[in-house]
Amino acid sequence: TGMRIAAAGALLTLVFGMLWHPSAAAAKVKSWTFVVGNDTSVDTLNPFLGFTTTDYEAYGLIWDNLSDYNQLPPYQGTPRLAKSWSVSKNKLVWTYHIRHGVRWSDGVPLTAADVAYTFKRNIVPGSTEFNDNSDYVQNITKVRQTGRYTVQMTVSKPTPGMSELEVPILPKHIWEHIPEKKVSSYNPSTAVGSGPFIVTSFVPNQSITLKRNPHYWGGEPGIKKLVFEPFANPSAEAFALENGSIDFAENLTDQLYVSLKHKPGVTVLPGAADSFDELAFNTGAETIKNQPIGDGNPALRDVKVRQALSWAMDTPQLVRKVFLGYASPGTSVVPPMYPQLTYHPPANIAYHYDPARAEQMLSAAGWKPGPGGVRVKDGKQLSLRLFIRSQSPANEQDAPYVKAWLEAVGVKVNERLMSDSQLTNAITNGNYDLFVWGWGVEPSPDFQLSVFTCGQRSYGKPGNLTAGWSDSYYCNKHYDAMFDREQVLSGAAKQRMVQAMQRQLYTQAPYRVLYFYNDVQAYRSDLFTSFAPMPYPHGLYLFQPTAWWSY
């Protein structure tokens, strides 16, 4: 594989060297168009249904939040559509002062009525809106407009995260015509927003083009047109960057980082590790009403089995073989980018590659060696399905290693490639055993920790289920109680609770976090400059952790 990549790079240098001319660069600059490539696309302009990284990159440019995260640690909320806010002495009433003179992209004035309307929709338990944004709104009990540019929100208990409300503010005059029962199927072809860019064309799962908003309250963006273009694989994306078809490439592989490192006119960024990929276990799929769903193997309900499989993973080998060392072995669900919050398990419980221990634990759990080396219990083989994302080259490379390690300890593995939408559907309905996917983690760990709460499981009835954020179906009352307490804490007390929650997840093993990986990015440095990295100064240029500073 290494030789094939090297040979392809040499050929492309020759071909694109002939195609790319200074005159082409000059024409590109004159057009003021910025084209961003990624291996995912915008699949919907309904902000409650999106799930890809490109979805959220676009949403933050189309719609304003009340606040964003700062570029600098400790990553606190900084004003956006809300120019300021305050909280009452009892910490239960938050008042937000909305910017004056802001207009929606269709020319209608934006006022506090839009903000109040947005949050009133979001705080209805069980709604699509609530389930999408519950981490931000679950403690809000009352929302009222107190002036043309003032909104008050009341919370059930002190909630420090009210200064970091990453909820897109929607136009009341558009969304009041979309009833709740239609939200889960609403897929508009355009969007009315107040952000720095305006949608001009959109083809779901193919491309989206935006133009700058000349009336944006934060100042006119430095580019006239913005295009998000999806690619089938990172290699094609890198080739497009090198020949000038795109200006920025997101989520490249580490092999491409090496091959692009010295290309003229291109700058490559290793990126910060704000993301992880995990081997996820179906711990027992049930709806939020505790109704069993799906066809997951019941063996994975046993924490001892999940722990055994975790001991079978050789994560340093994935770092060496898949990422060429540009990653680090995984531990917990909060990446090391946030050092005060991430959990470092003590040596006596830290998972490492120990297949003998894995085999011993499986035997102790009743899974004895059987015919063909496959373990058996009560006459049934330990046979698990492993679903792998076809849209992730890294995950495709992970698959043979994960399969080999599991089979080495007596697990029969049936591997299957799936698109992101296919895997999402399987998870929603509980029809899986194992899969490899990942998360990008916000500066506040609250959302990531909320993924493992009972209330984030799927809801509805079998055959018509709607996904929560939970993809392991982990549900533990003690964990939920810790999460509720964590929401009202701040400072050192919050850090201790975040650590305790991660410790429980680590030992209960709904996931085996495989690695923290760098988000490799590259751009045409002969055409564009003045990016605003987050975290400053060595962070991501685009696709930042819930922020959009460069745009």
Side-chain angles (χ1 to χ4, degrees), residues 127-300:
S127 66
T128 300
E129 298 93 324
F130 179 85
N131 285 287
D132 186 58
N133 289 312
S134 62
D135 181 56
Y136 302 111
V137 304
Q138 60 186 331
N139 293 342
I140 302 174
T141 58
K142 184 179 179 181
V143 179
R144 68 189 186 102
Q145 180 184 356
T146 56
R148 183 169 174 79
Y149 296 105
T150 310
V151 172
Q152 277 191 351
M153 300 191 205
T154 303
V155 291
S156 58
K157 53 190 173 184
T159 307
M162 293 292 287
S163 62
E164 296 149 357
L165 290 176
E166 300 286 331
V167 176
I169 303 304
L170 302 176
K172 180 177 184 290
H173 66 284
I174 300 293
W175 278 81
E176 64 185 352
H177 301 295
I178 304 162
E180 164 56 30
K181 63 182 180 180
K182 293 187 177 181
V183 171
S184 61
S185 60
Y186 177 57
N187 283 296
S189 59
T190 189
V192 173
S194 64
F197 288 87
I198 300 168
V199 178
T200 58
S201 66
F202 170 59
V203 180
N205 298 307
Q206 292 187 34
S207 66
I208 185 170
T209 301
L210 306 99
K211 66 178 181 181
R212 68 181 175 186
N213 181 355
H215 306 297
Y216 187 55
W217 60 263
E220 190 176 34
I223 50 179
K224 291 182 179 178
K225 184 189 292 185
L226 175 62
V227 180
F228 288 102
E229 185 173 334
F231 287 83
N233 59 73
S235 295
E237 191 182 342
F239 301 160
L241 180 75
E242 198 170 352
N243 78 1
S245 299
I246 66 174
D247 305 297
F248 194 98
E250 158 71 3
N251 201 23
L252 298 174
T253 65
D254 295 286
Q255 291 90 340
L256 291 170
Y257 174 84
V258 173
S259 69
L260 289 172
K261 203 169 184 179
H262 302 294
K263 299 296 181 184
V266 173
T267 294
V268 188
L269 311 163
D274 70 330
S275 304
F276 66 84
D277 276 2
E278 84 280 353
L279 176 66
F281 305 111
N282 184 339
T283 65
E286 296 181 347
T287 68
I288 57 174
K289 294 185 177 180
N290 302 316
Q291 179 182 7
I293 56 174
D295 59 5
N297 192 317
L300 294 174

Side-chain angles (χ1 to χ4, degrees), residues 491-535:
K494 184 182 183 76
Q495 292 175 18
R496 288 192 296 270
M497 186 60 72
V498 168
Q499 295 274 342
M501 295 171 70
Q502 290 177 83
R503 182 168 60 249
Q504 177 164 327
L505 293 174
Y506 190 83
T507 56
Q508 290 285 300
Y511 287 174
R512 172 62 162 103
V513 177
L514 299 175
Y515 43 72
F516 303 116
Y517 61 91
N518 295 337
D519 185 352
V520 177
Q521 302 179 329
Y523 68 101
R524 294 295 316 198
S525 50
D526 56 351
L527 299 178
F528 293 94
T529 185
S530 299
F531 292 88
M534 178 187 176

Side-chain angles (χ1 to χ4, degrees), residues 371-394:
V374 179
R375 292 180 176 271
V376 178
K377 181 179 181 180
D378 298 330
K380 294 182 179 180
Q381 286 188 326
L382 185 51
S383 178
L384 301 175
R385 295 159 298 171
L386 173 62
F387 294 161
I388 297 294
R389 296 173 60 222
S390 59
Q391 291 166 250
S392 170

Side-chain angles (χ1 to χ4, degrees), residues 263-335:
K263 299 296 181 184
V266 173
T267 294
V268 188
L269 311 163
D274 70 330
S275 304
F276 66 84
D277 276 2
E278 84 280 353
L279 176 66
F281 305 111
N282 184 339
T283 65
E286 296 181 347
T287 68
I288 57 174
K289 294 185 177 180
N290 302 316
Q291 179 182 7
I293 56 174
D295 59 5
N297 192 317
L300 294 174
R301 293 174 179 263
D302 185 347
V303 65
K304 296 298 183 183
V305 172
R306 302 196 301 268
Q307 290 172 340
L309 302 188
S310 297
W311 285 103
M313 296 294 105
D314 187 357
T315 55
Q317 187 172 8
L318 292 179
V319 169
R320 293 192 302 270
K321 299 291 188 178
V322 177
F323 291 94
L324 306 181
Y326 292 100
S328 58
T331 50
S332 188
V333 296
V334 178

